[in-house]
Amino acid sequence: MLQLVWVIVSILLIIIIFLRTPQENVGLSSFATKSDILGSPSSAERFLNIFTGFGILIYFAIALQFNLSS
C-alpha cells in the first residue's frame, strides 16, 4: 500500500514539475483569467508551490521509511 502511494506521489511530482510554466510565460496567468478555477495567478502559483513542497516532503518521508525497513 505504501509503495502504491509512493508511486502516485512520484508521478504527480513529475507532472507538476514538468507542467510548471516559466515566470516570463503568460500561460498560467492566461488560464487563470479565462477560468476562475485557480483564482489569481499569484494565488495559483502559491498553491502549486505549497502542493509541490508538500509532495516532496511526503516523497522523502516514504523513501526514508523504505530505506530504514530494508
Side-chain angles (χ1 to χ4, degrees):
M1 177 67 182
L2 193 59
Q3 192 167 11
L4 178 65
V5 173
W6 194 44
V7 169
I8 292 171
V9 169
S10 300
I11 292 171
L12 284 175
L13 283 174
I14 290 170
I15 291 170
I16 289 172
I17 290 171
F18 277 133
L19 291 180
R20 296 288 303 259
T21 57
Q23 294 293 334
E24 64 272 359
N25 203 345
V26 293
L28 188 59
S29 61
S30 173
F31 177 74
T33 56
K34 288 180 184 175
S35 67
D36 218 8
I37 294 173
L38 296 174
S40 69
S42 61
S43 68
E45 183 162 349
R46 182 173 179 262
F47 170 76
L48 287 175
N49 286 340
I50 291 171
F51 187 71
T52 305
F54 186 68
I56 290 170
L57 288 176
I58 290 174
Y59 179 85
F60 281 139
I62 295 173
L64 182 66
Q65 177 67 29
F66 281 150
N67 283 334
L68 291 177
S69 67
S70 60

